[in-house]
Amino acid sequence: MSSPSTPVTPSGPSGPRKSDPDTAGRTHADADAATARARAAQAEGGGAAPPPVDRRTLIADTAIALVAAAGLRGLTHRAVDGAAGLAAGSTSYYFRTRTALIGACYRRLAELDLEDLDADPPALPGPPVDPASPDATGASAGVPLDRDAAAAAFAALLHRWLTAGRERQLARFELSLEAARNPELEPELHRAGLGARARAAAVLAALGARDPQRSAELIAAWTDGLLYDRLAGALAHSRPAPDPAELTATVRRMIDAALD
């Protein structure tokens, strides 16, 4: 059984150590820079003020922005308090340990991914209905899902994640790697990935997959690989801007391979 998580302290994971003024200065500078970048990321979009969010959601969103801006080294309770405009100690009150804070990030990332998936999903076929019935939902009711339509919808999602959602995906990769080093985080990361895979399995089942769950696992793996390659791979900075048509063709090949 894993030992209980312990609060994050300035002593670091290896116990107390002597203060190094240069290292401390760099750490504080990194935290301050990450805070500024996180605030800027949260302010993007302009327009009307966003609706109020609960404190836990605010903390998780701020932590994700900090990780996207400065990596895991920028994720401290103090930095989250500062970037979120909260009183000192607020983050520690809700998420006492670093493990608990990262777990909150996993849950929030999963929630945001599902919101994206549900924002413009491919139309799943419904049961056949009488067009004259008041319960009829439109021409798509009872019509099998088309691979081209599914590819177009999924490509639009990938385009969003590679552009407007880029920072969130970078944070997701950083945070996911932490679970490989901390066994306490593995169950939380596993649960966070179930919802999106279930959505993918439902679409693939509608497309005629013999084993929708297995096909969904393939799509998830290929999606992670594509996102990582385009955002952080060796050629990421030399690639042209994401092209919806190219993404649609790529996703269509992914769907065909997962189904055939």
Side-chain angles (χ1 to χ4, degrees), residues 17-72:
R17 60 175 179 241
K18 293 182 179 179
S19 175
D20 181 339
D22 292 336
T23 300
R26 287 195 300 272
T27 300
H28 290 155
D30 288 342
D32 291 341
T35 295
R37 288 193 295 271
R39 283 175 173 166
Q42 289 179 324
E44 285 182 356
V53 297
D54 67 83
R55 189 65 57 87
R56 291 175 183 272
T57 300
L58 172 63
I59 289 171
D61 285 344
T62 304
I64 291 167
L66 283 168
V67 173
L72 283 169

Side-chain angles (χ1 to χ4, degrees), residues 184-241:
E184 291 183 76
L185 287 169
E186 290 177 4
E188 196 77 66
L189 179 62
H190 174 76
R191 286 191 294 271
L194 295 178
R197 283 168 171 76
R199 296 285 203 286
V203 171
L204 291 163
L207 290 170
R210 291 185 294 272
D211 186 346
Q213 189 59 46
R214 174 60 179 162
S215 295
E217 292 293 337
L218 289 172
I219 291 293
W222 293 334
T223 298
D224 278 346
L226 185 149
L227 289 171
Y228 184 87
D229 179 67
R230 302 296 176 91
L231 295 175
L235 303 180
H237 295 294
S238 63
R239 289 185 181 277

Side-chain angles (χ1 to χ4, degrees), residues 101-197:
L101 183 56
I102 293 175
C105 291
Y106 290 160
R107 294 190 294 275
R108 180 59 175 158
L109 286 168
E111 179 183 346
L112 291 170
D113 283 350
L114 289 179
E115 287 180 4
D116 285 345
L117 285 166
D118 291 340
D120 188 24
L124 293 175
V129 296
D130 179 356
S133 168
D135 296 326
T137 57
S140 64
V143 177
L145 181 63
D146 178 76
R147 291 189 186 191
D148 286 336
F154 189 31
L157 176 65
L158 286 177
H159 188 269
R160 188 182 316 155
W161 285 348
L162 288 168
T163 54
R166 177 181 182 276
E167 300 302 315
R168 195 206 317 163
Q169 296 306 314
L170 288 174
R172 184 170 68 85
F173 286 124
E174 289 263 8
L175 290 160
S176 296
L177 285 172
E178 188 66 11
R181 308 181 187 100
N182 183 352
E184 291 183 76
L185 287 169
E186 290 177 4
E188 196 77 66
L189 179 62
H190 174 76
R191 286 191 294 271
L194 295 178
R197 283 168 171 76

